[in-house]
Each structure stands twice: as structure tokens, then as C-alpha cells.
Amino acid sequence: MRLLLVEDNTRLSGLIAGGLAKEGLAVDAVSTIAECLSALATTHFAAIILDLGLPDGDGLSVLQYLRSKSISTPVLVLTARLSVRDKVQGLHHGADDYLGKPFAFEELVARVRALLRRPAAYLGRELRLGHLSFDIEGSEIVVNDVQFALAPREALVLEVLMRRANRVVSKKNIGRSALRPVR
């Protein structure tokens, strides 16, 4: 599973990315909103860990952007903003979970794993695009009422393309996604 970590504190970012890698999770780390949006435009992530206090703006704008584009990637806010008002605001803007700094690394891992268990129910089992519907779990597509079965790698590529509909997806990013374990 590939995660996007958006954290401007270089030392903390390195510790989190290294610790998650030891847990078997691939992490792409960026430190600004601009880098975050660029990464999201080219890569499919299973979840995002998002700091709110970033050098080029408020991380809440990333949440608003994602949800306005109907991008349902699970987001864990990881921030020093600890008031109840801040937490409620983050959740209202589309965060799936909220963890304050300082934090116990074990708790971060547990929360990330909990988010990663949810995507099938959260995102839905079926994707639709025009006359095509795709059953993700069954690796079956239906085109104009005709059903077809897909090989595991074909299903992964189709899922990436359908989730990124109307956006350019590079061959590199399709390949990267197709290398993830089959469900």
C-alpha cells in the first residue's frame, strides 16, 4: 500500500516514513500543498497523512479540494492543532481521522491500518464510468449488459484508470499500482 505523507518538518517526516516502511507500507513524503497536489495528480494513494500547518497554506484546503473533486482517499490529519474546535473543523472538511502531535507511533500505525481496512466499504465495491461497471472485488466488468472476467493485473490497471477518470495517468504510475498485492 502506498501512502502520501504531507509534513513540512523534515526530521518528523523522515521518522514517520521510515517507521511506516518498517511496517511494510510504502510512503511518498512531500512538504507543501503544491507538492501534495502534484503527487495526487500522478499517483494513486491508499491513504494520506496530512499536516495542517504547511508553509504554503492550510492543509484544510487540501481536504476541501479532495472532497470537492469527489476524491475519497482516506485522510488522517496529523497536526499540533488540538482544540476540539480544530478537530471538529478538520472532520467537517473531510478528514477521516484526526491525531494530535505529539503522538505515539504505535497509535499512528494503528489508525493508518484502520483506515486501510475501510476503503472497500468506504469507496464502494463497484465503479461506474459510462456504459462500463467494474466489480472491484470480483474483478468483473459489465459493458452494455455483457459480463467479462479480468485477470488480476488487468483488474488493478482498470481500477487505477477508473479512479483517475478524466486525468492523465502515466505508465509509471499504472505500473507502480499494478505491482501492489492483489486483494
Side-chain angles (χ1 to χ4, degrees), residues 118-172:
R118 284 196 248 167
Y122 182 66
L123 298 174
R125 176 188 159 122
E126 182 177 82
L127 297 173
R128 291 182 174 275
L129 188 61
H131 297 290
L132 172 75
S133 70
F134 175 46
D135 175 357
I136 297 167
E137 291 178 13
S139 296
E140 296 176 342
I141 61 171
V142 176
V143 182
N144 294 326
D145 298 323
V146 179
Q147 188 172 346
F148 302 91
L150 297 175
R153 293 247 190 265
E154 293 170 334
L156 287 169
V157 170
L158 181 61
E159 180 181 354
V160 170
L161 292 174
M162 288 184 77
R163 289 200 189 281
R164 313 278 308 164
N166 300 318
R167 288 180 255 165
V168 175
V169 181
S170 71
K171 181 179 176 182
K172 174 182 162 187

Side-chain angles (χ1 to χ4, degrees), residues 10-11 15 23 28-29 40 44 47 49-50 55 60 70 72 87-88 102 106 108 111 122 150 157 159 170 178 183:
T10 308
R11 183 169 182 259
L15 290 170
E23 295 290 325
D28 291 353
L40 290 169
H44 172 74
I49 301 171
L50 176 67
L60 288 176
S70 298
S72 54
K87 292 175 186 177
V88 169
E106 296 80 15
L108 174 67
R111 288 174 182 262
Y122 182 66
L150 297 175
V157 170
E159 180 181 354
S170 71
R183 295 184 252 282

Side-chain angles (χ1 to χ4, degrees), residues 27-70:
V27 178
D28 291 353
V30 297
S31 59
T32 66
I33 291 172
E35 291 172 340
C36 171
L37 296 178
S38 177
L40 290 169
T42 59
T43 306
H44 172 74
F45 294 97
I48 301 167
I49 301 171
L50 176 67
D51 185 12
L52 297 182
L54 298 167
D56 58 344
D58 190 336
L60 288 176
S61 65
V62 173
L63 281 170
Q64 289 173 316
Y65 170 79
L66 290 171
R67 300 321 182 215
S68 74
K69 298 291 185 187
S70 298

Side-chain angles (χ1 to χ4, degrees), residues 100-121:
K101 296 176 187 174
F103 59 93
F105 185 74
E106 296 80 15
E107 182 178 5
L108 174 67
V109 171
R111 288 174 182 262
V112 167
R113 292 211 182 277
L115 285 178
L116 294 175
R117 281 193 302 267
R118 284 196 248 167

